[in-house]
Amino acid sequence: MGSFLGVVHALLLCCLVSAVVAYDGCFNPKVRREWRQLTPGERTEWIRAVNCLAALPHDPTLAPSVPANVSLIPPVNQSSSFYDDLVYLHMDLNIEIHFTGMFLPWHRYFVQYFEDALAEKCGYEGGTPYWDWTLDAHDFYNSPFFDNSSFGVGGWGDPAKDDQIYTGGFKDVIRAYPNPHHIRRRYTPYPFANPNATSPFANDPSAPPLPKDFLINTTMTRENVDYLVDNFEGNFIGFHSYLESLPGIHGGAHLILGGDMTGFCSNDAVPPACYGGPKWTPNDPLFFMHHAMVDKVWSDWQRKGPRNKFSYGGGSVAAFVNFATFTLFPTGLPPFLNFDSPIPGDGLWNVTIWDVIDTTGETLCYVYE
């Protein structure tokens, strides 16, 4: 009998350990679901909480760390909102968090910080919804995703009013950066044909020209995402460089939405008052839904095989010296980052890359449906 009980005890212990390992120390993880899987009530609640952040005051602990002559952004608006602080954080750190090894871990934690703020400051109890744009890749312009109802994300902007949106749950929101305005969107299927579109290698004659006839939604198909997730086994650098390539999966949603998500200056905020680029893209809450999807793609790849989960690498400086250098270092030049590298937060957080490498670890606790 004793040996039988011992076997039962061992089996129970095995099952218990397996249950814990399944979540890697994370119990009762939040579940992030695709936007269209939420009920109208759940969508309304998320929109309420997002707008709540826009009604809260500026957080004085926000401390820009990039010199103004490098970031090329206006000073912090002390009268802005907490939501605007999140936008400013992305504006300030723009050069450190794109085309470097910081891209995926930084945006993973940024979405988590946003989700935590929704919960702690505005009482939101759900997970961050993600936007699966592969469902819309065949026809973005007419997609029902762009719902004009009070529990929808709103539609396309009014070209006669600088592409500002006046529909959906965010129609009354005014963002502070780079100047006060409503959220802006413009359907842009051929973003590189836009006269305002510039290549980061514009001064390099060896760089290929912008593909002005490139249909950007072709980057966001299910086939392309599946290819990314199913390949690059154990090769984080390859995975990341394909995801953030020019043009690529990550940039596709930014570019096709135009306006704030692309980072074009509004009509009344042109240089030197405004320098474009992927700076104030979080102005549009679709940013967080988009980056939750990007994070889901990374998470799906991590779970594809044991060699993927803890694969990581990349430099800390974007390799925009010239096109040849970028080709060699698409995820950043040295000094190289590692698990101990801190994720910059301009005074708003204190975490490392190791803290966010696992969505069900000691720091993060969520899964994707």
Side-chain angles (χ1 to χ4, degrees):
M1 176 65 72
S3 60
F4 173 76
L5 290 177
V7 171
V8 171
H9 181 266
L11 288 172
L12 289 174
L13 180 60
C14 172
C15 293
L16 177 61
V17 170
S18 296
V20 172
V21 170
Y23 291 119
D24 300 337
C26 157
F27 298 93
N28 193 27
K30 283 193 174 181
V31 178
R32 295 181 176 178
R33 293 181 290 154
E34 209 278 331
W35 177 250
R36 282 157 282 204
Q37 297 303 310
L38 273 60
T39 66
E42 290 171 327
R43 297 181 201 178
T44 299
E45 175 61 7
W46 186 75
I47 288 171
R48 177 203 65 78
V50 174
N51 287 337
C52 165
L53 293 184
L56 298 177
H58 158 67
D59 185 344
T61 61
L62 175 66
S65 58
V66 177
N69 66 322
V70 176
S71 64
L72 298 178
I73 58 177
V76 173
N77 183 338
Q78 303 295 330
S79 300
S80 63
S81 72
F82 178 79
Y83 188 102
D84 291 319
D85 288 341
L86 301 182
V87 176
Y88 198 91
L89 175 65
H90 189 270
M91 291 167 61
D92 184 54
L93 297 174
N94 174 58
I95 64 169
E96 299 180 13
I97 59 176
H98 297 102
F99 300 101
T100 71
M102 196 58 73
F103 172 70
L104 284 167
W106 191 93
H107 286 84
R108 171 172 281 182
Y109 193 72
F110 189 43
V111 174
Q112 180 63 56
Y113 186 81
F114 175 70
E115 183 178 287
D116 291 343
L118 291 176
E120 296 165 8
K121 299 177 182 293
C122 297
Y124 179 69
E125 297 181 352
T128 300
Y130 65 92
W131 170 28
D132 183 355
W133 19 251
T134 67
L135 300 175
D136 311 298
H138 65 287
D139 187 0
F140 265 89
Y141 188 78
N142 296 303
S143 170
F145 174 83
F146 298 100
D147 183 355
N148 290 326
S149 71
S150 62
F151 53 83
V153 299
W156 302 103
D158 185 346
K161 297 181 179 179
D162 198 19
D163 301 317
Q164 297 177 99
I165 63 171
Y166 296 96
T167 61
F170 306 113
K171 64 183 178 63
D172 297 321
V173 170
I174 301 294
R175 297 290 187 235
Y177 302 110
N179 64 313
H181 68 286
H182 287 265
I183 296 168
R184 299 164 56 240
R185 291 183 198 141
R186 169 179 282 189
Y187 177 59
T188 314
Y190 297 96
F192 304 116
N194 190 306
N196 293 320
T198 58
S199 167
F201 311 106
N203 296 321
D204 183 354
S206 68
L210 289 175
K212 297 186 182 299
D213 59 347
F214 186 81
L215 187 60
I216 196 64
N217 62 308
T218 58
T219 67
M220 293 174 283
T221 63
R222 171 51 54 189
E223 293 77 13
N224 200 25
V225 171
D226 287 346
Y227 171 82
L228 176 62
V229 172
D230 292 342
N231 289 278
F232 306 103
E233 183 181 1
N235 180 5
F236 178 86
I237 297 285
F239 171 84
H240 171 194
S241 61
Y242 188 89
L243 175 64
E244 205 188 6
S245 59
L246 294 170
I249 292 175
H250 159 251
H254 281 281
L255 294 170
I256 203 166
L257 290 175
D260 283 337
M261 277 288 279
T262 300
F264 286 147
C265 295
S266 58
N267 290 339
D268 56 354
V270 297
C274 170
Y275 293 92
K279 299 178 182 180
W280 55 87
T281 50
N283 273 335
D284 192 335
L286 290 186
F287 172 97
F288 293 99
M289 295 169 69
H290 167 48
H291 272 279
M293 176 62 179
V294 171
D295 184 60
K296 180 183 184 300
V297 173
W298 182 21
S299 176
D300 289 347
W301 179 79
Q302 287 183 300
R303 283 161 172 71
K304 191 70 177 180
R307 293 186 59 206
N308 294 358
K309 185 169 184 178
F310 296 108
S311 176
Y312 177 73
S316 57
V317 180
F320 288 138
V321 179
N322 52 55
F323 185 70
T325 302
F326 178 78
T327 301
L328 291 173
F329 298 95
T331 61
L333 290 162
F336 291 114
L337 301 170
N338 56 55
F339 284 148
D340 294 327
S341 299
I343 298 177
D346 281 359
L348 297 182
W349 63 59
N350 182 23
V351 293
T352 66
I353 290 173
W354 173 253
D355 293 327
V356 305
I357 206 69
D358 186 356
T359 69
T360 54
E362 297 297 329
T363 301
L364 305 178
C365 192
Y366 65 85
V367 293
Y368 288 98
E369 186 178 80

